[in-house]
Amino acid sequence: MQKKSLPTENNDALECAVAAIAAAMADPSRVKMLCALMDGRAWTATELSAAADVAPSTASGHLARLVEGKLIVCLSQGRHRYYRLAGHDVAELVEQIMGLSWNRIMPPETTAPKTMREARTCYDHLAGTIAVQIYDFMLAENWLEPDGSALTVLGREQFLKLGIALNTHSRRKACCACLDWSERRFHMGGEAGAALLIFLETKGWIQRVAGYREVVVTPVGKSAIHQHFSR
């Protein structure tokens, strides 16, 4: 049976939408801002101008382009204005592009601090060496589909057994494989990745460093993660 093609106007709309997103990201300073916002917090224009190493007046223009491209949103609170990523889908897009970009160049010696490489947040899920090890364990134990796109029945059972709450009515991806920019391997994102981060933090196995993406694995956490997520 011959597949029906999309109406020309739909094709045009899609092409324009893709081009608009690409144009909004097509500047190193704007990319730096998006990467800074990957810690999941809302930032002021002043903070983002410092992160991108540009003048406040220049930052204002970049932020306007990102808002126009629907990659970030502006929140007003009293006299202050804050910017944050527009949603989980944008965070996943930035993470995937970061991973794809690393694959296009010769692997450099990373300048990331050892603590950042070990554990950090990636928007609302865990990244770094620890996260990659957990992902590898889940794959080996058949908790995840081979491509990391979903939890298996066994995986859902194991999450329930551990007490990791999953939102079955979430509109976002249930699970996805995110390419870790420091390890060049996958860690777990999506709803399952976010639920895992909340679980680890609630148990006191990890602690966030206020104002930074860095995450500290507590002594109790190291023992517990080894117990539950290693073969």
Side-chain angles (χ1 to χ4, degrees):
M1 182 182 293
Q2 187 175 3
K3 292 184 178 179
K4 293 182 179 180
S5 60
L6 288 172
T8 303
E9 58 269 22
N10 286 353
N11 286 337
D12 292 343
L14 176 60
E15 290 162 2
C16 289
V18 171
I21 292 174
M25 299 183 71
D27 184 278
S29 295
R30 293 198 286 274
V31 172
K32 288 178 182 178
M33 291 177 174
L34 291 171
C35 290
L37 291 170
M38 284 292 285
D39 69 352
R41 297 181 299 134
W43 290 51
T44 66
T46 301
E47 291 169 333
L48 288 169
S49 68
D53 195 24
V54 295
S57 57
T58 304
S60 179
H62 286 314
L63 290 170
R65 284 296 302 276
L66 291 172
V67 170
E68 183 183 357
K70 298 182 180 180
L71 295 173
I72 66 173
V73 293
C74 180
L75 310 171
S76 296
Q77 186 170 325
R79 297 169 55 189
H80 302 285
R81 300 174 72 188
Y82 298 87
Y83 296 87
R84 67 182 306 162
L85 294 182
H88 303 293
D89 52 346
V90 175
E92 290 169 2
L93 173 64
V94 174
E95 179 77 359
Q96 292 297 326
I97 289 177
M98 289 167 69
L100 179 63
S101 299
W102 278 126
N103 285 339
R104 296 298 179 90
I105 61 176
M106 289 294 291
E109 285 293 327
T110 180
T111 57
K114 183 180 178 181
T115 51
M116 276 280 285
R117 288 196 61 181
E118 181 180 21
R120 63 184 182 276
T121 55
C122 174
Y123 195 56
D124 65 351
H125 57 269
L126 189 67
T129 305
I130 295 295
V132 169
Q133 290 173 355
I134 291 175
Y135 181 87
D136 286 347
F137 166 81
M138 290 184 178
L139 230 102
E141 292 297 307
N142 196 34
W143 291 22
L144 295 172
E145 295 293 342
D147 62 356
S149 63
L151 290 169
T152 61
V153 173
L154 175 62
R156 289 193 294 273
E157 290 175 351
Q158 292 301 319
F159 265 48
L160 184 62
K161 184 177 179 181
L162 284 169
I164 304 176
L166 290 171
N167 180 4
T168 56
H169 301 293
S170 175
R171 296 177 62 184
R172 68 184 298 197
K173 291 180 180 178
C175 188
C176 66
C178 285
L179 187 60
D180 195 285
W181 60 260
S182 64
E183 298 303 307
R184 315 297 173 80
R185 292 157 62 197
F186 291 111
H187 62 246
M188 185 171 61
E191 180 63 35
L196 176 64
L197 178 65
I198 293 171
F199 170 77
L200 296 174
E201 190 172 16
T202 302
K203 296 289 285 187
W205 296 355
I206 64 171
Q207 294 176 344
R208 301 198 197 201
V209 178
Y212 296 91
R213 291 179 63 187
E214 182 183 336
V215 168
V216 175
V217 182
T218 65
V220 172
K222 289 181 180 178
S223 176
I225 289 172
H226 178 75
Q227 177 185 350
H228 294 289
F229 302 109
S230 64
R231 305 181 74 181

